[in-house]
Amino acid sequence: DVFQYICQSLDTITQTAILVLIGQRRTGKTSILQQLPAHLDAARYLPVFIDGNGLGIDPGMDNFFLSLMEDITLGLERAGFDLARVDPQVLGDSPQRYFDHRFLREVRALIGDRTLLLTIDEFEELGARVQSGALPESVFSYVRHLIQHGEQLAFIFAGTHRIEEMIGDYWSVLFNSSIYRRIGFLEDAAVRRLVTEPVQGEGVQYDDLAVQEIVRLTAGHPYFTQLLCHVLVNRCNDDERNYVTIQSVREALDELLQLGRTHLTYVWNTSGEVTRLCMAALAELRARMDQVTAAAIANRLGEYGVDLSQGQVHRAMATLVARDLVVEEQGMPTSYSLTAQLYAHWLRRYRRLSRVVEESEQRVDGLAI
């Protein structure tokens, strides 16, 4: 469905707009960009993948343009086009002018009538480079100039932050004429396909309860779904069996949490103090309550001497909902649960509420969510 949406949007983004793919880490944004060549009309579009982490590592606009040209040259090589590497000495006093009037002209001559589709991953790193002083704010105005006036050019950006959370007015210069597509968790039917189709030729079979348990544990998170299947298939190979049951899935949970600890720790480390406390309290309460409200979380934290208002809890929950870590359950009052049960297992095992409170050395009042 994402590739279909991109294909339908191409006519729009070739007319001075850009498509922005927004989603949390490990939801498949990079894979989508890298697989675009297999889904687009090769006679009309030539996608080139650019890692935003590599732009601006070496400070200065000279190095920005050099990195951009090197990425485009490598992308063209992968697509079967031979373009000479740019010698840094030829950039002269105006690398922008060289890029605009010589490099892009050579690219257009090489690709014919095709549109060069630049797919830039981790686009928010441009903002980080500006904040660190490695790049000037004018880089955004220049990219906007390319979007509006570049011949046979189109752009797709992918990143983890919502645009309204970006820091600095320069983002509005770039994204005020964009269309957005959220990349989130897989629907249940897509999870079933991801679980069963890759192993059909190998004779491995999942019973229905096993698939349901995978959905319950991962909530369709692409990375954790694949990781869990990796564990299960390896165990089948080790045990010389060709079936997966619900018990097999439950027995694989410990290994899943170990293999996924880097991402889980990243999620934890990028959360604020109040949000961590609320996550830990939610995981603890959901083990014994069907409905957990903001009041219940505030009361539980109060028992540990943490004074949080229901308003603070609601704000923390809103942050977690935006990050796909928590889901709101409609009702009066609103209650909350963790999107994937593996989050609850990890929190109760490695981030118990009592431990989180003990490690919190600062006062909660006024801390950022």
Side-chain angles (χ1 to χ4, degrees):
D1 61 323
V2 175
F3 290 116
Q4 182 179 9
Y5 180 84
I6 291 174
C7 291
Q8 293 171 345
S9 302
L10 285 175
D11 286 341
T12 300
I13 67 174
T14 54
Q15 299 174 10
T16 72
I18 58 176
L19 172 63
V20 183
L21 305 180
I22 298 293
Q24 298 302 318
R25 292 184 182 275
R26 298 288 191 173
T27 53
K29 301 182 301 300
T30 301
S31 295
I32 290 169
L33 296 184
Q34 291 177 334
Q35 292 179 39
L36 272 178
H39 294 268
L40 300 185
D41 183 352
R44 296 184 61 193
Y45 300 102
L46 183 57
V48 170
F49 177 85
I50 295 174
D51 184 359
N53 285 299
L55 296 177
I57 289 181
D58 296 321
M61 289 296 283
D62 290 14
N63 289 314
F64 170 80
F65 281 108
L66 187 60
S67 295
L68 186 58
M69 287 185 283
E70 287 177 346
D71 285 346
I72 293 173
T73 300
L74 287 173
L76 291 174
E77 286 181 359
R78 296 188 189 101
F81 294 91
D82 187 16
L83 183 66
R85 300 289 177 89
V86 175
D87 184 347
Q89 300 299 321
V90 305
L91 296 182
D93 296 332
S94 179
Q96 174 183 331
R97 182 174 180 81
Y98 181 91
F99 181 77
D100 282 343
H101 298 287
R102 182 167 175 179
F103 180 79
L104 287 181
R105 184 178 299 171
E106 291 178 359
V107 169
R108 288 193 295 268
L110 190 63
I111 67 177
D113 294 332
R114 297 175 180 85
T115 294
L116 182 65
L117 180 60
L118 300 183
T119 63
I120 303 179
D121 198 20
E122 304 284 355
F123 67 81
E124 61 266 37
E125 287 302 316
L126 286 176
R129 303 290 187 263
V130 170
Q131 286 182 306
S132 69
L135 288 174
E137 290 187 16
S138 60
V139 67
F140 289 95
S141 297
Y142 177 71
V143 174
R144 179 173 175 80
H145 164 77
L146 279 181
I147 293 168
Q148 292 184 324
H149 304 292
E151 297 179 38
Q152 296 173 240
L153 269 180
F155 292 82
I156 298 178
F157 285 66
T160 59
H161 300 301
R162 294 178 299 172
I163 299 305
E164 59 267 28
E165 293 175 346
M166 292 298 186
I167 300 174
D169 293 337
Y170 41 80
W171 284 109
S172 63
V173 172
L174 187 57
F175 292 119
N176 61 2
S177 61
S178 305
I179 56 177
Y180 304 95
R181 170 74 184 206
R182 183 170 178 78
I183 308 299
F185 292 1
L186 301 172
E187 300 290 342
D188 288 2
V191 174
R192 180 174 291 276
R193 289 184 58 200
L194 179 59
V195 170
T196 60
E197 288 186 8
V199 294
Q200 284 178 348
E202 307 300 324
V204 177
Q205 295 183 330
Y206 290 80
D207 68 32
D208 288 340
L209 289 177
V211 176
Q212 291 175 22
E213 185 68 1
I214 291 172
V215 172
R216 189 185 74 85
L217 284 174
T218 68
H221 190 296
Y223 169 67
F224 285 116
T225 302
Q226 288 187 307
L227 190 61
L228 180 52
C229 290
H230 169 77
V231 172
L232 291 168
V233 171
N234 281 348
R235 290 189 170 208
C236 282
N237 292 335
D238 291 341
D239 298 340
E240 296 184 348
R241 55 184 172 84
N242 62 355
Y243 59 89
V244 178
T245 66
I246 186 173
Q247 187 61 30
S248 306
V249 178
R250 290 172 176 171
E251 290 173 351
L253 177 59
D254 287 346
E255 188 174 353
L256 173 65
L257 295 181
Q258 285 297 316
L259 292 176
R261 67 184 182 277
T262 299
H263 179 66
L264 291 165
T265 302
Y266 168 83
V267 169
W268 182 260
N269 289 341
T270 54
S271 301
E273 190 78 20
V274 173
T275 309
R276 292 179 185 181
L277 289 163
C278 290
M279 271 196 292
L282 176 60
E284 179 186 284
L285 290 170
R286 281 292 295 182
R288 51 189 174 85
M289 297 173 61
D290 291 333
Q291 293 183 321
V292 178
T293 63
I297 293 172
N299 290 338
R300 183 58 177 153
L301 290 172
E303 294 173 3
Y304 281 92
V306 178
D307 185 18
L308 278 184
S309 68
Q310 290 187 40
Q312 287 176 294
V313 175
H314 277 301
R315 289 193 293 274
M317 290 295 107
T319 299
L320 293 168
V321 169
R323 297 177 66 191
D324 291 330
L325 297 171
V326 165
V327 62
E328 287 185 349
E329 298 178 345
Q330 296 303 315
M332 292 297 292
T334 300
S335 60
Y336 303 94
S337 63
L338 291 153
T339 51
Q341 287 306 301
L342 68 90
Y343 294 149
H345 287 288
W346 185 80
L347 287 164
R348 288 196 289 264
R349 186 170 305 180
Y350 299 106
R351 296 294 187 272
R352 295 189 306 275
L353 180 57
S354 58
R355 176 182 172 185
V356 173
V357 172
E358 289 175 3
E359 292 176 350
S360 179
E361 299 176 351
Q362 305 176 26
R363 294 181 58 191
V364 173
D365 289 344
L367 289 176
I369 293 176

